[in-house]
Amino acid sequence: GDVSATAKSYMIYQEGIYVGYKYYETRYEDFVTGNGNAGDYAYGDIVAYPFGYGMSYTNFDISDMNVSYNAADDTYTVTVKVTNTGDMAGKKTVQVYVQSPYTDYDKQNGVEKSAVSLVGFGKTGMIEPGASETLSMTVNKRDIATYILDAGDYYFTAATDAHNAVNNILAAKGYTVESTNGKMTADGNADLTYTWTEDALDTTTYATSENGTAITNQLSSADPNLYEGIEETVTWLSRSDWNGTLPTETVKLALTELLKKDLKDIRYDPADYESVDMPTLGAKNGVKLYDMIGLDYNDPKWDELLDQMTFDEMNSLIGDAFHWTMPVKSVEAPGTRDENGPQGLTASLLGNDKSQLTATAFTSEDVMAATFNTEIMTEIGKVIGNNCLEADIACLYGPGNNIHRTPYGGRNFEYYAEDPFIAGTICAAEVQGIQSKGVYVYLKHVALNDSETSRRGVNTWLNEQTAREIYLEVADKAITDGGAWCVMTGFNRWGATWCGANSNLLNGFLREELGMRGMCITDFSGSSQYMDLVDGLIAGSDIWDSPMPKIHTTKAANYENDAYIVTQMRNAMHHILYTVVNSNAMNGWSSTDTLKTITPWWQTAIYALIAVLAVLTILCAWQLSKALKAKKSMVDTAPAADQK
């Protein structure tokens, strides 16, 4: 009874950054080299197919690796020669992995490093038997840094998969199967490695995001060791001591008073916020949304437009957005049709004519990522965008952006991979294709929706490095490289705070660090009271995926005279309308167009039926009342002898 039912389950990501191959390959290297108390680690008994493994109808040889650094854009260019040594024509994927030094500084400051991390890849064209192709791949140095850039030796390797990458780097360090008494699973190829040394620890170059925003810890409230409301200490898995830090039992968290307070469904208290002036509502400035086409988000004309909106219009648009956005008459803003689509327009399953949203059903996202082919993913994105145009859809709920934390994730088919680099890079390519058609995407579900079981309100606890390097990296690349406009948040909590009410996530990370331009929508909110309207608005959520606006309308009615909340609603409207005006929703609109309310025949028929039923109900009640009165009269006038 201390907290709601949706707040009672929790998960702690004790494995930290060591998800998938980053665990298997890192512990393997430490086992081979005798570091980190790795114990007796039998890699071959645990891993059947390493990350990145693929099969072909032919064979290839990779050779002639060369690396050059481009100071102008802080990138490396990696080239290799790929030769078809088999009997059939085919394409070959080459993967570039990096190994960063794991230093005393890292151990002292709790910074973890994977033995190898994917930082680049390329795919050849069709190569005939006996022929070769030189493949060029680009690596952004920012993808190598972990908060900081350590001093020490760094390794690039061109590899066929993550395990092959580790063996190549071990070979460059002088290790062989023979010299390690069979600990290595195979000899690597040192010729496919490149080594360089960073002379000094660099804590400044990558201390700002690509748009120049200072990077600070945004997510400490989700780290149980930094959150004051938790008494227990969580040990994160560390390669400094594998056997000593590997979780062996569940950490049980006590429900403290602060934790109970932070898990409340509604946390807004006007006393916590400074008073502000009530925004202008219902002005007659004569500005239409059409007039905003091409204007910057900060253009002063937006104030004139937003001044025209009424409280009821804002409340309707924010709280009633189940696969649509409502039209807004005061600014002549069109409504939009929004549909689900992590793997294409999901509504394609409904029929064959336009009214039933015909579209192409593509394969699952894990197969998309397995292509290692950004060009084809951009083309797929264009097809999805065209499908949306044909069906008059302005927004796609997708692509999916979560991580395959385990092979048993209930929605793994909607998410790309266990590795955030391939997931983010493929997603960015797909997003570019979709949005080239004027369809804005909602990356979903940002973030930590990595389990379907008990996901409504689950408390997810993890540290900042893990959050940034694994679970947010997909959205990072999709926004910074792919230009994704919007995100859909999850059902889950970051620590004790619902995803959609986490200002550091939505405003600090997505909008400020990454420069996201559009809006944040909730996952299907339905009757979920913890996905509270005002808490979400304050934190940067803009619109609720809900077909039942009364849930929020009832609450919002209490805030009509609350200037602070009305101001947050106005901010949300700015995000929403800025997104809509830059989408295909404005296709065909002119400066003279206006909205007209049309009541369809079926709705008129329903209203008429309701009216008839209401009259019949009144008549029935009247007849029942008459009958009861008559019966009472008969009882009152009956002879006394008959009354028993």
Side-chain angles (χ1 to χ4, degrees):
D2 290 327
V3 296
S4 65
T6 59
K8 291 184 176 179
S9 60
Y10 61 88
M11 291 190 293
I12 304 175
Y13 288 7
Q14 288 180 257
E15 74 279 5
I17 70 163
Y18 299 112
V19 176
Y21 77 87
K22 294 189 177 186
Y23 166 73
Y24 300 117
E25 304 303 339
T26 307
R27 190 160 183 178
Y28 166 74
E29 173 161 324
D30 286 346
F31 166 69
V32 169
T33 59
N35 291 312
N37 189 24
D40 188 13
Y41 184 68
Y43 179 91
D45 294 343
I46 301 169
V47 179
Y49 298 99
F51 174 82
Y53 174 87
M55 298 179 69
S56 174
Y57 291 106
T58 189
N59 297 308
F60 295 93
D61 178 67
I62 303 172
S63 62
D64 300 352
M65 179 179 177
N66 287 286
V67 178
S68 61
Y69 175 64
N70 317 296
D73 57 2
D74 200 28
T75 62
Y76 292 91
T77 299
V78 180
T79 62
V80 293
K81 180 181 178 182
V82 182
T83 304
N84 186 341
T85 60
D87 300 325
M88 298 184 66
K91 297 180 180 181
K92 178 63 176 175
T93 296
V94 178
Q95 301 158 38
V96 178
Y97 291 85
V98 71
Q99 180 177 107
S100 301
Y102 183 49
T103 67
D104 289 338
Y105 176 92
D106 296 330
K107 296 173 186 177
Q108 293 165 8
N109 290 277
V111 178
E112 295 298 326
K113 298 284 186 67
S114 175
V116 289
S117 295
L118 183 69
V119 289
F121 61 86
K123 193 160 191 173
T124 68
M126 192 68 72
I127 303 176
E128 296 297 325
S132 300
E133 177 184 327
T134 297
L135 189 61
S136 179
M137 297 158 286
T138 300
V139 176
N140 190 329
K141 196 170 183 179
R142 183 175 289 272
D143 288 325
I144 299 171
T146 303
Y147 288 112
I148 44 90
L149 195 67
D150 271 315
D153 294 334
Y154 288 75
Y155 293 83
F156 276 143
T157 181
T160 57
D161 55 64
H163 192 57
N164 175 232
V166 177
N167 280 335
N168 286 349
I169 293 170
L170 285 170
K173 294 178 179 180
Y175 293 93
T176 65
V177 172
E178 183 178 1
S179 71
T180 60
N181 295 319
K183 287 184 176 181
M184 283 181 68
T185 57
D187 286 330
N189 184 351
D191 292 338
L192 292 179
T193 63
Y194 169 83
T195 308
W196 80 97
T197 302
E198 295 288 340
D199 294 327
L201 172 67
D202 183 349
T203 61
T204 58
T205 302
Y206 305 101
T208 58
S209 67
E210 292 189 46
N211 67 16
T213 302
I215 296 174
T216 59
N217 281 1
Q218 298 280 3
L219 308 165
S220 298
S221 64
D223 185 337
N225 295 338
L226 300 178
Y227 171 71
E228 294 179 358
I230 285 180
E231 298 171 345
E232 295 76 17
T233 298
V234 172
T235 298
W236 306 113
L237 182 61
S238 174
R239 69 179 296 188
S240 64
D241 184 3
W242 289 109
N243 280 330
T245 59
L246 190 70
T248 57
E249 59 183 27
T250 302
V251 176
K252 295 183 179 180
L253 304 180
L255 189 61
T256 63
E257 289 303 313
L258 180 57
L259 188 53
K260 282 192 287 187
K261 177 184 176 183
D262 287 349
L263 288 171
K264 288 172 59 178
D265 282 350
I266 303 172
R267 299 187 298 171
Y268 172 63
D269 183 345
D272 295 336
Y273 300 89
E274 294 182 7
S275 61
V276 298
D277 294 333
M278 178 65 74
T280 301
L281 299 171
K284 306 297 182 183
N285 295 329
V287 183
K288 298 180 180 180
L289 188 61
Y290 177 87
D291 300 328
M292 312 308 292
I293 294 175
L295 296 187
D296 186 75
Y297 179 85
N298 294 316
D299 192 289
K301 199 173 186 68
W302 276 104
D303 284 329
E304 296 180 46
L305 180 106
L306 296 171
D307 283 350
Q308 297 175 190
M309 300 195 65
T310 67
F311 177 85
D312 287 342
E313 285 177 327
M314 293 193 294
N315 189 46
S316 174
L317 182 50
I318 291 168
D320 183 4
F322 179 69
H323 290 242
W324 55 72
T325 60
M326 301 293 283
V328 184
K329 176 61 182 173
S330 66
V331 296
E332 304 295 350
T336 66
R337 179 76 181 274
D338 308 338
E339 283 296 339
N340 202 43
Q343 299 141 251
L345 197 55
T346 307
S348 62
L349 303 176
L350 299 180
N352 295 315
D353 59 49
K354 182 174 179 178
S355 66
Q356 294 175 307
L357 312 181
T358 301
T360 305
F362 287 96
T363 184
S364 56
E365 285 191 6
D366 53 341
V367 177
M368 291 178 176
T371 66
F372 282 85
N373 190 324
T374 55
E375 292 181 5
I376 197 171
M377 287 311 304
T378 299
E379 293 305 309
I380 287 173
K382 290 177 181 178
V383 173
I384 295 171
N386 282 332
N387 289 163
C388 292
L389 282 175
E390 177 66 21
D392 295 327
I393 289 171
C395 159
L396 195 71
Y397 292 165
N401 261 218
N402 293 106
I403 289 291
H404 295 181
R405 182 174 176 242
T406 78
Y408 306 107
R411 289 233 191 153
N412 278 358
F413 66 97
E414 281 193 4
Y415 307 140
Y416 294 101
E418 68 184 34
D419 176 76
F421 181 87
I422 182 65
T425 304
I426 291 292
C427 182
E430 184 180 356
V431 165
Q432 287 174 346
I434 295 170
Q435 293 192 161
S436 71
K437 305 300 179 179
V439 179
Y440 56 91
V441 301
Y442 282 117
L443 306 174
K444 70 176 198 177
H445 314 83
V446 179
L448 310 182
N449 189 85
D450 307 300
S451 170
E452 289 300 290
T453 303
S454 303
R455 68 179 180 141
R456 280 189 174 270
V458 61
N459 308 194
T460 306
W461 301 93
L462 76 172
N463 61 43
E464 182 112 13
Q465 183 189 358
T466 300
R468 286 176 175 270
E469 289 190 15
I470 306 296
Y471 298 99
L472 291 174
E473 181 67 11
V474 190
D476 187 332
K477 289 196 173 301
I479 293 169
T480 57
D481 298 340
W485 270 82
C486 308
V487 301
M488 174 184 284
T489 53
F491 287 125
N492 56 287
R493 290 177 166 91
W494 282 71
T497 305
W498 166 51
C499 209
N502 189 331
S503 179
N504 283 6
L505 171 67
L506 305 186
N507 292 323
F509 179 73
L510 292 173
R511 290 197 167 102
E512 294 174 16
E513 285 190 28
L514 304 189
M516 190 186 78
R517 297 170 290 173
M519 53 176 154
C520 298
I521 194 172
T522 70
D523 203 344
F524 176 72
S525 57
S527 58
S528 301
Q529 297 298 316
Y530 75 96
M531 300 169 78
D532 182 61
L533 187 79
V534 292
D535 285 337
L537 283 171
I538 292 168
S541 286
D542 301 304
I543 194 165
W544 268 248
D545 180 15
S546 171
M548 294 174 280
K550 287 185 178 179
I551 295 170
H552 302 299
T553 303
T554 302
K555 294 179 183 178
N558 300 324
Y559 303 111
E560 189 166 2
N561 297 314
D562 187 325
Y564 184 77
I565 298 305
V566 175
T567 299
Q568 305 313 308
M569 296 173 74
R570 179 188 174 97
N571 292 339
M573 297 308 305
H574 196 170
H575 291 141
I576 296 167
L577 295 178
Y578 181 68
T579 305
V580 171
V581 79
N582 284 285
S583 76
N584 68 39
M586 302 304 293
N587 288 1
W589 276 73
S590 73
S591 60
T592 58
D593 287 338
T594 59
L595 290 169
K596 180 183 290 186
T597 302
I598 300 175
T599 305
W601 68 266
W602 55 266
Q603 194 169 29
T604 302
I606 289 175
Y607 289 155
L609 178 60
I610 291 172
V612 170
L613 291 175
V615 171
L616 291 175
T617 300
I618 294 170
L619 287 173
C620 288
W622 178 63
Q623 290 289 352
L624 178 61
S625 176
K626 283 179 60 179
L628 291 174
K629 287 181 179 178
K631 183 175 181 181
K632 185 175 185 300
S633 176
M634 291 175 62
V635 171
D636 290 344
T637 57
D642 293 339
Q643 297 183 25
K644 299 179 181 178

